Structures are given as C-alpha cells and as structure tokens.
Amino acid sequence: MTRWLDDDEQRAWLRLAGVMLKLSPALDSQLQRDCDLTHFDYLCLAMLSESEDRTLRMSELAGRTNASLSRLSHVVSKLEKRDWVARTPSPDSRRVTLVSLTEQGWDVLVSAAPGHVETVRSLVFEGLDADDVAALERVAGHIVEQVEASRLRTTT
Amino acid sequence: MTRWLDDDEQRAWLRLAGVMLKLSPALDSQLQRDCDLTHFDYLCLAMLSESEDRTLRMSELAGRTNASLSRLSHVVSKLEKRDWVARTPSPDSRRVTLVSLTEQGWDVLVSAAPGHVETVRSLVFEGLDADDVAALERVAGHIVEQVEASRLRTTT
DNA sequence: ACAATTTAGTTGAAGCATCAAGTGTTGCCG
DNA sequence: CGGCAACACTTGATGCTTCAACTAAATTGT
C-alpha cells in the first residue's frame, strides 16, 4: 500500500520541485546570456580550476559535477572545440583520459565567476540566515546521499 | 566588487546544485522507465487532476508547474497526441486555451502515482524529521520567491 | 595463459528545453 | 473610433540530455 505524502511533505515537495524547475533555468539563462555557458559547463570549468594541475580524469570530474560519463563526454567535446579544455590520455592507464583547463578556459571562468556568484547570491542566499544555510546544506546533502544510495541499489 | 560565497555557503550551494543535477534525472528516470512519463509530464497531469473540472488555462497551468508557456505548449501537444489531455478554446476569451485531463489521462496518473510517490519518499523524505521538512519548505519557498522576483525585475 | 567480467570512455539517435519570432486577441488611450 | 501596446499562446530551429550500443583496456577467475 502506498504511503502518501502528508500535507507538510506535500508542500515541501512542491517547493523543492519549484526550485529544480525555476532555479536551474535561471542560472543557465544568466550564464548563457553573459558568457555563452551552461551552468553545467561552468561547474566543469570550476571543478577543474580547483584541482591539482587543473586536471582531472573524466570519471572523477563526472563524480564531482554529479553527471553521467556520457553527459560529461559530450560537454567536454564541446569545451574542447572552444579550446577551454584539453583531453590527454593518462600516462598511468590507457583507458583513462585526463581533462585539463587551458589558459583560455581559466580566463573564461575568471570572467564568468563574478556574474555567476552574484546570481547565486541573489537567488539563493540573499535573505537566508546562518541557520537556514546550515539547514540547506544538511537537507540537500541528505537528498544527494539518498539518490546516490538508490542508484547503487538499482544498478547492482 | 564581488562578494564571494563563504565556506558554509559554498558547501550548501554545491549540495543544492547536486540536488538539481541528480534528483531531477532520478525522478525522470523512474517515471520514464515505469510509465513513459517525464517528471514534468507527471506534474502537468497532477496539477490538472487537482483542479476544478480537471481543467486549467495554459497560463495558469504554466504558473503552477513553474514552466514557461512555450515549454508547456510543447508538452501539452505531446500529451494531447496520446489523448491524456485535451485542448479547448475558452468560452470567455478567444485568446485563452483550456487544457483538461481526459479519462485516460486520469488513469495514467492514477497508475503512475504510487511508484512516483514511493520514489519521492525514498529519495527525499526518508530519514528527514519534521524540522527538516519544515526547513526544506521554508528555504525552498524562499528560493522560488527570489527567482520569481528576479524574473520580474529583469523582464520589466 | 586465456576467457569472462568489469571498468573507462565515446558515440549516435531520439527526445526535451529554450529562445526568438510569429499569430491572433484584447485592452487602453487619445 | 482607430491605432498601439500588452497578452495568450504556438511554432521551428538549435542545442542539451539521455539511453543504448559500442570500443578498448584492465582485472579476475580457472
């Protein structure tokens, strides 16, 4: 028998769905307009920029950006065409490909960051106090873990 | 000068981005696999099902599903082809179109609901206490409002 | 040492979402 | 009343995401 959502859960769920449906496009839209970037493109560049040698293997970058390898591969191909990122075979293992941020990619990221951070601040954090931020981190972290756990359950 | 995110905000933000990147596909995936439905398709059917006469005008449905009119129009066309939904011109105003859930659409929704609710429960609410749910509702509601407010600022 | 599995990544096709541009309708203001 | 702006959609093109299928390399088991 299905256990339905109670009223509180229902309201919380509708709002969370609202966040996914509205915030995502809003972020994409600002980055697209100002920098010809997707939010996911931005995340890739940002994750690379914070890594040792500005380089990661595909699967590691996929993990850090919460993406499938397939999605990442397509996007990296696109970024590579723009010379913002470069692929090199790993010296360690021949089935591993390394992705690195190029100088140009770094420059793009640097120029995109302020506008993006402003947007995130104004859409997400403006008006939240420290408790809210902590709660957000806690609950969002919890959800991400549940999704990861369920993926393991269904793919194993 | 850009006001960067502090460490707490940074962590909270990465996790929220994780939710958008992982939860959305997870929901789509379950509904797609089991019912040949997108999460957004589901939302449309669900919102119609709760409305007077199972009918809404396009713009009202767009509002309730947090979608652009354009997105909704494409999706309604698809649902219409499957006879889950029907478009009729409004008697009140000739520029308004009404969308109604058909019997078949209702049946699809009824059969999809248990699996979807189970998924939402297990990915989102499992392991959250009442305070967490309240916090989620509060913070998510806040974000949705901010995004809506910013849309008004930039389109006006 | 060899076959079978698993891992890492790529690719192409199909379906979605977004944007810009279009149609027709209504309200409004002089 | 006439024209002009705003509204309520629809459409087509483009780019993004997913899924399934594929290649190739490493690991495991025998």
Side-chain angles (χ1 to χ4, degrees), chain A residues 56-69:
Chain A
L56 287 173
R57 19 186 321 185
M58 291 290 286
S59 44
E60 181 61 28
L61 182 54
R64 296 198 193 182
T65 56
N66 295 295
S68 68
L69 218 36

Side-chain angles (χ1 to χ4, degrees), chain A residues 121 126 132 138 142 146, chain B residues 4 126 132 138 142 146:
Chain A
R121 177 171 295 292
E126 197 77 27
D132 294 330
R138 190 161 38 78
H142 175 81
Q146 305 265 77
Chain B
W4 302 98
E126 197 77 27
D132 294 331
R138 189 162 37 80
H142 174 80
Q146 306 264 80

Side-chain angles (χ1 to χ4, degrees), chain B residues 5 7-8 10 30 46 50 55 66 86 108 129 149:
Chain B
L5 302 179
D7 286 1
D8 290 339
Q10 183 81 33
Q30 179 267 324
E50 290 167 7
T55 298
N66 294 295
V108 167
D129 60 28

Side-chain angles (χ1 to χ4, degrees), chain A residues 1-27 33 39-40 42-43 47 50 62-67 71 110 113-118 120-129 131-144 146-148 150-151 153-154, chain B residues 1-27 33 39-40 42-43 47 50 62-67 71 110 113-118 120-129 131-144 146-148 150-151 153-154:
Chain A
M1 200 41 208
T2 308
R3 203 167 124 236
W4 302 99
L5 302 179
D6 65 33
D7 286 0
D8 290 337
E9 290 169 333
Q10 183 80 35
R11 275 198 309 278
W13 169 236
L14 270 182
R15 286 188 177 42
L16 178 56
V19 168
M20 298 192 294
L21 288 160
K22 280 198 135 82
L23 180 55
S24 244
L27 294 168
R33 175 166 43 76
H39 179 224
F40 183 71
Y42 181 92
L43 255 188
M47 289 300 152
E50 290 168 6
R64 296 198 193 182
T65 56
N66 295 295
R71 178 180 189 178
V110 166
H116 175 61
V117 171
E118 275 306 321
V120 171
R121 177 171 295 292
S122 82
L123 298 183
V124 177
F125 293 107
E126 197 77 27
L128 292 188
D129 60 29
D131 288 346
D132 294 330
V133 174
L136 176 57
E137 177 182 344
R138 190 161 38 78
V139 173
H142 175 81
I143 295 174
V144 169
Q146 305 265 77
V147 175
E148 270 159 10
S150 93
R151 222 182 49 79
R153 279 198 304 278
T154 58
Chain B
M1 200 42 207
T2 309
R3 202 167 125 236
W4 302 98
L5 302 179
D6 65 34
D7 286 1
D8 290 339
E9 289 169 334
Q10 183 81 33
R11 276 198 309 278
W13 168 235
L14 270 181
R15 286 189 176 41
L16 178 55
V19 168
M20 296 192 295
L21 287 160
K22 280 197 135 81
L23 180 55
S24 241
L27 294 168
R33 173 166 46 76
H39 178 223
F40 182 72
Y42 181 92
L43 256 187
M47 289 300 154
E50 290 167 7
R64 297 198 191 182
T65 56
N66 294 295
R71 178 180 189 180
V110 166
H116 175 61
V117 171
E118 276 307 322
V120 171
R121 178 172 293 292
S122 81
L123 298 183
V124 176
F125 293 107
E126 197 77 27
L128 292 187
D129 60 28
D131 288 345
D132 294 331
V133 174
L136 176 58
E137 177 182 342
R138 189 162 37 80
V139 172
H142 174 80
I143 295 174
V144 169
Q146 306 264 80
V147 175
E148 269 159 11
S150 93
R151 220 182 49 79
R153 278 199 304 277
T154 58

Side-chain angles (χ1 to χ4, degrees), chain B residues 72-103:
Chain B
L72 182 64
S73 182
H74 283 293
V75 168
V76 164
S77 298
K78 182 185 75 175
L79 298 178
E80 200 176 24
K81 269 177 209 137
R82 303 183 184 175
D83 289 317
W84 293 348
V85 125
R87 269 193 255 235
T88 47
S90 163
D92 299 344
S93 166
R94 280 203 283 176
R95 63 181 161 178
V96 170
T97 17
L98 300 174
V99 207
S100 321
L101 194 62
T102 62
E103 275 308 312

Side-chain angles (χ1 to χ4, degrees), chain A residues 35-48:
Chain A
C35 324
D36 193 25
L37 277 176
T38 298
H39 179 224
F40 183 71
D41 296 343
Y42 181 92
L43 255 188
C44 291
L45 301 180
M47 289 300 152
L48 287 175

Side-chain angles (χ1 to χ4, degrees), chain B residues 104-117:
Chain B
Q104 298 173 53
W106 171 265
D107 293 346
V108 167
L109 180 64
V110 166
S111 75
H116 175 61
V117 171

